[in-house]
Amino acid sequence: MARKDIPGQASLVFDVALLDLHNPKDGISIENKVVPENCERQSQTGDFLRYHYNGTLLDGTFFDSSYSRNRTFDTYIGQGYVIAGMDEGLLGVCIGEKRRIVVPPHLGYGEEGRGNIPGSAVLVFDIHVIDFHNPSDSISITSHYKPPDCSVLSKKGDYLKYHYNASLLDGTLLDSTWNLGKTYNIVLGSGQVVLGMDMGLREMCVGEKRTVIIPPHLGYGEAGVDGEVPGSAVLVFDIELLELVAGLPEGYMFIWNGEVSANLFEDIDKDGNGEVLLEEFSEYIHAQVASGKGKLAPGFDAEMIVKNMFTNQDRNGDGKVTAEEFKLKDQEAKHDEL
């Protein structure tokens, strides 16, 4: 209404709906906290949080929600990546905690507002913390059971068969070998699993049960696995080791169990023609393994190992090995698999 439209000496009546109010001295307020009973760690500056939120004005007007996008909002906290009020309000939270954070405009989007957020608006965020980690975190291992004889411990190169349940910190199940009815089998230290899992399976004995918590930088990183593992997710693996086959010394794919024949080349060269073909070589190596005189690295393709061994001996690449080419590992400046 223009001022010229108001008669002189008129009494005016205003019907007012108060949308919000604040004082420039106001800080944020934390309300409706629901904290899990088991809260071993609270967030601090430098942590990376994944959380869901609903954002409204004080009168309940909705302006944004991570739930509607079906993905968490992920951010470092205490470092200015989000508005100051949220930066502060996300400190000291527990994994699984729910809280309401009320943010005055000078700690939010200020006098200008943003998008569908009016200028000078007080903001209300109802959040649910899914997980958080710090970039300096390593894995966490909790052993729940060890058999009476737990003297043989897993190490790099060992072939392991184990069961696992994989979940997020909020309990969401991602995968389970128990549900699939078959074990997961790997060679430890060969890059067949994420680094955190490789670390978590070390120094474990057959029959042991443990929980391994893996931060994303030792898991599937910021990208995650499309449709399976969310980006930047902390993972929980409940593991039971069922079988361990001892690996070979580092750098070896085949070893002899005992003394090596002084006439090894002649033993392999069955037809005595001074040349060993792949078929002869493979037959001999497999015979040694079958008799217990030799051992191939467990968990790898045996035929591929033998073929690589033969290729290393076939120095001129002509498809056959001669006595002049043939050398044992300790005769090499650079090793092969004999």
Side-chain angles (χ1 to χ4, degrees):
M1 177 181 293
R3 187 170 182 179
K4 64 181 181 179
D5 296 328
I6 302 174
Q9 305 299 319
S11 298
L12 303 179
V13 178
F14 291 91
D15 293 314
V16 178
L18 182 61
L19 299 180
D20 66 31
L21 60 87
H22 72 279
N23 189 287
K25 297 180 180 179
D26 288 345
I28 65 167
S29 63
I30 306 296
E31 304 171 1
N32 301 338
K33 289 177 62 174
V34 180
V35 181
E37 291 183 7
N38 183 21
C39 180
E40 299 179 354
R41 175 177 174 179
Q42 292 179 304
S43 61
Q44 58 186 358
T45 296
D47 285 346
F48 189 86
L49 263 73
R50 296 193 314 124
Y51 65 96
H52 274 301
Y53 71 89
N54 284 324
T56 62
L57 305 180
L58 267 184
D59 65 354
T61 301
F62 169 87
F63 64 81
D64 193 19
S65 173
S66 63
Y67 294 101
S68 64
R69 294 187 291 273
N70 197 31
R71 62 168 297 167
T72 56
F73 189 84
D74 308 337
T75 184
Y76 289 98
I77 59 168
Q79 297 181 331
Y81 288 98
V82 291
I83 57 174
M86 284 298 282
D87 231 359
E88 180 182 350
L90 291 169
L91 293 171
V93 298
C94 301
I95 292 169
E97 181 176 336
K98 297 180 180 180
R99 62 168 55 177
R100 171 171 288 181
I101 305 171
V102 181
V103 180
H106 52 277
L107 297 176
Y109 292 104
E111 296 181 0
E112 300 299 322
R114 175 181 292 184
N116 59 349
I117 300 175
S120 299
V122 177
L123 309 178
V124 179
F125 292 93
D126 290 303
I127 70 160
H128 179 201
V129 180
I130 303 301
D131 66 32
F132 63 82
H133 71 279
N134 192 280
S136 64
D137 287 347
S138 185
I139 65 168
S140 167
I141 298 175
T142 303
S143 184
H144 304 291
Y145 172 76
K146 291 184 178 182
D149 181 8
C150 190
S151 56
V152 178
L153 302 180
S154 58
K155 65 186 184 305
K156 183 177 180 180
D158 289 349
Y159 181 57
L160 308 183
K161 294 184 178 182
Y162 60 95
H163 271 307
Y164 70 83
N165 282 330
S167 60
L168 303 178
L169 277 178
D170 65 357
T172 301
L173 183 66
L174 300 175
D175 191 18
S176 172
T177 57
W178 277 290
N179 290 347
L180 295 174
K182 60 180 181 180
T183 58
Y184 200 78
N185 309 328
I186 68 158
V187 177
L188 198 56
S190 64
Q192 295 175 352
V193 290
V194 295
L195 180 58
M197 190 64 164
D198 198 288
M199 297 165 64
L201 287 166
R202 303 213 178 197
E203 299 186 354
M204 193 174 185
C205 64
V206 173
E208 183 176 347
K209 299 177 181 179
R210 59 171 57 169
T211 297
V212 181
I213 299 177
I214 302 176
H217 50 276
L218 297 175
Y220 292 100
E222 294 182 5
V225 179
D226 189 34
E228 298 181 37
V229 180
S232 301
V234 179
L235 304 178
V236 180
F237 286 89
D238 294 307
I239 303 167
E240 180 179 2
L241 182 59
L242 300 181
E243 187 176 335
L244 184 159
V245 180
L248 304 187
E250 188 169 355
Y252 286 79
M253 297 300 284
F254 174 84
I255 61 170
W256 297 99
N257 293 324
E259 293 297 321
V260 182
S261 170
N263 301 309
L264 182 57
F265 182 82
E266 290 76 11
D267 293 345
I268 300 174
D269 183 20
K270 295 293 186 182
D271 58 12
N273 68 350
E275 298 176 347
V276 173
L277 301 180
L278 175 59
E279 292 76 10
E280 290 178 284
F281 187 86
S282 178
E283 181 180 345
Y284 183 83
I285 294 297
H286 284 300
Q288 304 313 299
V289 172
S291 67
K293 295 179 181 179
K295 182 179 179 181
L296 292 167
F300 295 98
D301 186 321
E303 292 301 330
M304 187 59 68
I305 293 176
V306 173
K307 185 176 180 181
N308 287 340
M309 292 167 63
F310 179 83
T311 301
N312 288 340
Q313 295 292 334
D314 180 17
R315 300 170 198 283
N316 63 6
D318 63 356
K320 54 184 181 287
V321 178
T322 63
E324 290 73 23
E325 291 177 300
F326 188 80
K327 293 180 181 178
L328 294 175
K329 184 180 175 83
D330 59 5
Q331 298 171 326
E332 295 273 8
K334 295 182 179 179
H335 80 264
D336 59 29
E337 284 74 18
L338 283 177

